[in-house]
Amino acid sequence: FVPTGTMGNLVSVMAHTYDARDAEVIVGHHSHMCIYEQGGIATVAHVHPRQLQNQPDGSIKLEDIEEAIRPVDDHFPTTKLVCVENTHNKKGGLVLSLEYLDALGELLKSKNVKIHVDGARVFAAAAALDVPPSRVVSMADSVSVCMSKALGAPAGSVVVGDAAFIRRCRRARKVLGGGMRQAGVLAAAALVALDETLPRLKEDQRRAHAFASAIANDTGSLRSALNVDLNAVHTNLVYVSVRPDNPAGLKAPAIIQTMRSHKVWALPISDYQMRFVFHHQVDDNAVDAAIAALRASV
């Protein structure tokens, strides 16, 4: 148990590379680990991050990964780990396909390179694919799972791996300040989330799709001002684009500010994009209210 997903990813990298001062880790250029974790794998773990391009679906091309794995040479760092994100936040909560993950596992096993899954929302991926979470991470050597995103616990993430790996994670967690004797209080809330919220994730996803469909199928102000790709709504995240040529000349921050007066919150990603997140406290009536608030704001 760790306080945050950022720490979960960092201790995992430290545990995988503890025996290699020349370690290199492959990450996607739009991954959370690359953009939103302050470069901790470099500044704290002293590991060299090799950034490869994320595809629109959140994956990294297998041929790019294979080409990036370093040959044994005194001039090069040593490729120790590949990190993938599932679901992929910056790509709109998209789910990596099982076919891709299985192929990635086969490739890296043949190269003796480990896989870490930043699975902050991996339970959402399993719900979307209608398979057990264990199937989604069956090819992984380690996983970091968030207990607050979608599941609704107040804080905390869990790192999963074999016994030797977890032993090294515990040591890394301690030096990072995460060895809390109070962890049981937070972990108890996480257990409630697993018991009560996890079985309801598909309801969150249904409501997210209903919200997105209301925008996509609208024939009035929503359609003229906004755009949403229904094929990109895999889980409980809905990314809504603001049309630059919308009649009122609105931008995302202004729309969101008006929505707040209707007690509906969203996150501005840019001037022309917003993110809406659906969770266990958002019921069908709240979805209707969100649609009404959005309509009143454009």
Side-chain angles (χ1 to χ4, degrees):
F1 185 88
V2 291
T4 67
T6 294
M7 185 182 287
N9 287 330
L10 182 54
V11 300
S12 295
V13 171
M14 293 172 71
H16 279 302
T17 62
Y18 74 103
D19 60 347
R21 291 290 297 171
D22 62 345
E24 181 172 75
V25 173
I26 293 173
V27 296
H29 80 302
H30 275 170
S31 68
H32 195 278
M33 292 180 69
C34 178
I35 297 176
Y36 297 116
E37 299 181 11
Q38 209 182 93
I41 62 174
T43 59
V44 179
H46 299 167
V47 171
H48 183 250
R50 181 97 179 258
Q51 299 177 28
L52 300 183
Q53 184 174 7
N54 282 116
Q55 298 305 300
D57 66 354
S59 67
I60 305 171
K61 287 183 178 179
L62 296 180
E63 54 266 36
D64 290 350
I65 292 175
E66 185 169 16
E67 183 179 355
I69 295 173
R70 307 281 190 173
V72 177
D73 188 302
D74 288 346
H75 297 84
F76 300 148
T78 301
T79 306
K80 297 287 286 186
L81 183 67
V82 172
C83 301
V84 294
E85 186 176 331
N86 195 18
T87 66
H88 201 289
N89 174 48
K90 202 163 179 63
K91 297 300 182 182
L94 296 184
V95 179
L96 298 178
S97 72
L98 295 177
E99 294 76 15
Y100 170 79
L101 291 169
D102 289 343
L104 176 65
E106 291 179 10
L107 169 64
L108 296 185
K109 186 176 181 179
S110 72
K111 302 292 185 179
N112 195 31
V113 174
K114 302 292 187 181
I115 304 176
H116 172 69
V117 174
D118 177 1
R121 298 176 176 87
V122 75
F123 288 124
L129 293 170
D130 202 23
V131 297
S134 58
R135 174 65 184 91
V136 181
V137 299
S138 60
M139 71 301 300
D141 296 285
S142 62
V143 189
S144 176
V145 186
C146 184
M147 293 292 110
S148 62
K149 291 184 174 71
L151 293 186
S157 288
V158 174
V159 176
V160 182
D162 65 28
F165 170 80
I166 295 300
R167 177 65 260 165
R168 297 192 297 272
C169 284
R170 287 178 181 271
R171 186 168 179 82
R173 180 184 65 179
K174 180 63 178 178
V175 78
L176 296 176
M180 303 180 298
R181 62 184 182 279
Q182 309 92 337
V185 177
L186 294 175
L191 289 174
V192 174
L194 289 171
D195 289 339
E196 298 185 6
T197 311
L198 179 57
R200 299 168 53 188
L201 290 185
K202 291 185 78 69
E203 296 178 27
D204 298 339
Q205 296 176 3
R206 174 183 61 79
R207 293 184 177 110
H209 200 274
F211 175 79
S213 296
I215 299 171
N217 298 328
D218 185 77
T219 58
S221 61
L222 295 182
R223 187 64 177 271
S224 63
L226 308 173
N227 182 59
V228 61
D229 180 3
L230 289 179
N231 292 324
V233 183
H234 288 186
T235 54
N236 64 316
L237 306 184
V238 180
Y239 281 70
V240 178
S241 298
V242 180
R243 298 183 188 275
D245 59 349
N246 70 85
L250 294 169
K251 294 183 179 180
I255 294 172
I256 288 172
Q257 189 63 37
T258 303
M259 290 185 69
R260 288 188 176 184
S261 67
H262 297 275
K263 302 187 185 302
V264 175
W265 265 245
L267 178 70
I269 301 299
S270 67
D271 278 348
Y272 293 102
Q273 192 176 52
M274 306 175 284
R275 189 183 77 169
F276 294 82
V277 180
F278 294 81
H279 51 81
H280 70 289
Q281 292 173 309
V282 178
D283 59 17
D284 291 337
N285 290 332
V287 174
D288 293 339
I291 295 167
L294 189 56
R295 185 171 284 113
S297 303
V298 299

